[in-house]
Amino acid sequence: VQLVESGGDSVQTGGSLRLSCIASGFSYTSYCMGWFRQVPGKEREGVASIGSDGISHYGDSVKGRFTISIDTAKNTLYLEMNSLKPEDTAMYYCAADSRPYADYCLVALTSGLGDWGQGTQVTVSS
């Protein structure tokens, strides 16, 4: 499985970005996919996940501002980020696992299960 993220950039507070993650060598029959972020010296934080059951989960800090979606025809996972804040500054990683994990999808990916991409940097300035 290869995951390649893109879309990271530097924006001002209140701005928007859309991250993309192209997944190759991955089966969409059953899956758990999502995004987590990490700042050097801090713990990894789960951002959003979506499972093959269509159910999505979000970290508390991004609820109402971020939206995760998937286009299986394009093998692409998206993260739409609105109302960005300086505390959203981090390296964002795409992750995927062929096991669905149901309600534990976001927890599973954030704990390190599955495959990860190389990350894309998001910087939000005040």
Side-chain angles (χ1 to χ4, degrees):
V1 177
Q2 184 177 20
L3 303 170
V4 180
E5 304 97 332
S6 63
D9 204 345
S10 296
V11 297
Q12 292 190 329
T13 297
S16 298
L17 285 174
R18 187 175 78 159
L19 305 184
S20 300
C21 171
I22 298 177
S24 57
F26 188 74
S27 171
Y28 291 95
T29 302
S30 174
Y31 61 84
C32 159
M33 298 185 73
W35 299 87
F36 64 86
R37 64 190 183 187
Q38 191 156 26
V39 176
K42 294 188 177 181
E43 289 189 1
R44 196 180 302 140
E45 180 185 6
V47 176
S49 68
I50 186 165
S52 48
D53 57 3
I55 295 175
S56 57
H57 296 276
Y58 295 91
D60 288 341
S61 63
V62 306
K63 284 180 181 176
R65 300 188 297 122
F66 290 12
T67 303
I68 190 170
S69 61
I70 189 168
D71 186 336
T72 55
K74 295 183 178 180
N75 293 339
T76 304
L77 180 73
Y78 300 100
L79 183 68
E80 189 76 37
M81 305 187 295
N82 297 312
S83 302
L84 284 162
K85 305 174 182 180
E87 49 265 43
D88 294 319
T89 295
M91 185 71 80
Y92 284 71
Y93 295 89
C94 171
D97 198 303
S98 59
R99 293 162 288 190
Y101 293 117
D103 289 342
Y104 299 98
C105 178
L106 185 56
V107 172
L109 296 178
T110 307
S111 68
L113 296 175
D115 297 291
W116 307 357
Q118 293 299 307
T120 186
Q121 178 68 36
V122 172
T123 303
V124 185
S125 58
S126 56

